[in-house]
Amino acid sequence: MTNDPVKNQYEMRDPQTQYPRPPFPKQPQSAPGLASEMDPTPDHGEDSYVGFGRLKGRKALITGADSGIGRAVAIAFAREGADVALNYLKVEDSDAEDVVKLIEAAGQKAVVIPGDLKDEAFCKELVQQAVDGLGGLDILVSNAGKQTAVEAIADLTTEQFDATMKTNIYAMFWITKAALPHMQPGSTIINTTSIQASQPSANLLDYAMTKAAIANFTGGLAKQVAEKGIRVNAVAPGPYWTALQPSGGQPQDKVQKFGEGVPLGRPGQPAEIAPLYVLLASQESSYMTGNVYASTGGTLY
Ligand code: NAD
Ligand code: MG
């Protein structure tokens, strides 16, 4: 199904065949799902991401850092020299343990803070614990997300609608508000939006609207905090091979064909998007703020 394992992300090769292409096996999991249960195993950069000291000495808080895109970002940040505080749900402890080992193997500190972001009090506590554990905060990555596909609006419950809003929008608002007073000039905030913000799917009404809100919030906040020397950007993934999808993010028949519809013909692997977060976190992107950077396999954001 795939070429040789990807040993690094720097060797020239055909991106169409760099990673597995559909069809994939059906693999239902209950939300939030575990990366360790996925087939094929996602690449979060465990064996492929090489750091170059681009975030030396930085202190980062990443939500949803146990699996998927958040895990790939945590690995990349640690290999670039940052200490990392990780948030995720307690049921994902086993995935998070793998990430902690990788951060420590990179010679960096990992601060583990599991908890439910739908709770405002916890979001405030999360930031305080991250600041205390890391000795400050200069990178915030709001990445946790809830995605549950529902075919008809008649079946979209108020309970789900509320949980999606809380997880994807309220938590970002609460965490950002609590984090900003701790951030010095040069600090960066990175939010995770989606191709869904501009191209909503029929079965993701609640999810897609949160992703549009995240992109919009990113633009407004960037204007507000520019005078503090703080930059705010968002990353927009297309279809990425993560636990979000087989755990209710897509119907199982769509999981089998996941990524088939984009020009590159396959889903992205989390390792392929982490470099965007590194760029946006580092001083290399000093003139980049208030924008959305997409990695979609060929679909215009
Ligand atoms: P993932 O399931 O691996 O990561 C999402 C994480 O969100 C989970 O690991 C979980 O720890 C966290 N989370 C969910 N509800 C939470 C809650 N109530 N409290 C605390 N943490 C909670 O999947 P992923 O695809 O890596 O998702 C990361 C981000 O990327 C999400 O914002 C998602 O919307 C976005 N995204 C993903 C895709 C894709 O195709 N995978 C596409 C576009 C955007
Ligand atoms: Mg997870």
Side-chain angles (χ1 to χ4, degrees):
M1 193 176 338
T2 181
N3 275 356
D4 316 329
V6 177
K7 289 286 193 289
N8 67 59
Q9 294 181 304
Y10 313 96
E11 180 190 320
M12 194 167 129
R13 55 200 293 164
D14 185 341
Q16 300 175 101
T17 51
Q18 181 167 340
Y19 284 111
R21 299 171 66 87
F24 302 117
K26 285 190 182 177
Q27 46 194 295
Q29 297 195 48
S30 52
L34 290 174
S36 59
E37 300 284 304
M38 292 187 72
D39 177 16
T41 303
D43 182 4
H44 309 94
E46 289 90 342
D47 299 317
S48 57
Y49 193 91
V50 179
F52 300 99
R54 297 157 78 191
L55 300 175
K56 203 166 183 346
R58 305 288 169 87
K59 302 161 196 312
L61 168 60
I62 306 171
T63 65
D66 57 303
S67 58
I69 293 167
R71 179 197 290 217
V73 173
I75 293 169
F77 279 14
R79 293 195 184 159
E80 295 289 357
D83 291 335
V84 181
L86 307 83
N87 166 257
Y88 55 90
L89 288 162
K90 192 76 189 137
V91 291
E92 300 170 302
D93 263 336
S94 61
D95 268 357
E97 279 164 21
D98 294 341
V99 184
V100 168
K101 282 186 204 137
L102 289 159
I103 293 171
E104 291 175 349
Q108 299 301 137
K109 184 172 187 178
V111 178
V112 172
I113 317 169
D116 189 341
L117 298 178
K118 297 198 294 300
D119 177 359
E120 180 174 8
F122 172 72
C123 286
K124 289 183 186 162
E125 203 180 298
L126 166 65
V127 172
Q128 193 55 53
Q129 283 186 31
V131 168
D132 292 346
L134 297 170
L137 185 65
D138 31 45
I139 304 169
L140 169 63
V141 179
S142 280
N143 167 75
K146 173 178 169 58
Q147 175 184 328
T148 311
V150 176
E151 295 307 314
I153 190 169
D155 300 321
L156 178 54
T157 62
T158 299
E159 190 188 26
Q160 175 176 323
F161 187 89
D162 193 50
T164 306
M165 299 301 139
K166 288 267 162 51
T167 310
N168 297 7
I169 309 181
Y170 279 68
M172 173 184 66
F173 164 62
W174 292 326
I175 294 169
T176 305
K177 194 171 167 180
L180 272 167
H182 299 283
M183 300 183 111
Q184 308 300 316
S187 296
T188 53
I189 296 174
I190 307 164
N191 299 318
T192 303
T193 175
S194 169
I195 183 79
Q196 290 288 327
S198 61
Q199 306 209 27
S201 293
N203 61 359
L204 295 175
L205 295 183
D206 54 334
Y207 174 82
M209 67 186 274
T210 67
K211 293 295 161 177
I214 291 166
N216 189 280
F217 176 79
T218 298
L221 184 69
K223 289 181 182 164
Q224 190 180 118
V225 301
E227 65 178 27
K228 297 182 196 296
I230 297 170
R231 297 183 295 109
V232 189
N233 289 293
V235 173
Y240 267 83
W241 188 245
T242 72
L244 192 72
Q245 306 299 353
S247 67
Q250 302 286 338
Q252 286 301 315
D253 59 321
K254 292 223 174 109
V255 170
Q256 291 180 288
K257 294 185 245 166
F258 197 59
E260 182 185 76
V262 304
L264 288 179
R266 63 167 177 88
Q269 294 293 327
E272 298 182 277
I273 201 164
L276 257 182
Y277 288 81
V278 171
L279 173 65
L280 294 173
S282 87
Q283 201 61 31
E284 294 167 303
S285 59
S286 49
Y287 199 62
M288 297 159 76
T289 192
N291 254 300
V292 177
Y293 298 87
S295 170
T296 63
T299 312
L300 188 62
Y301 170 77

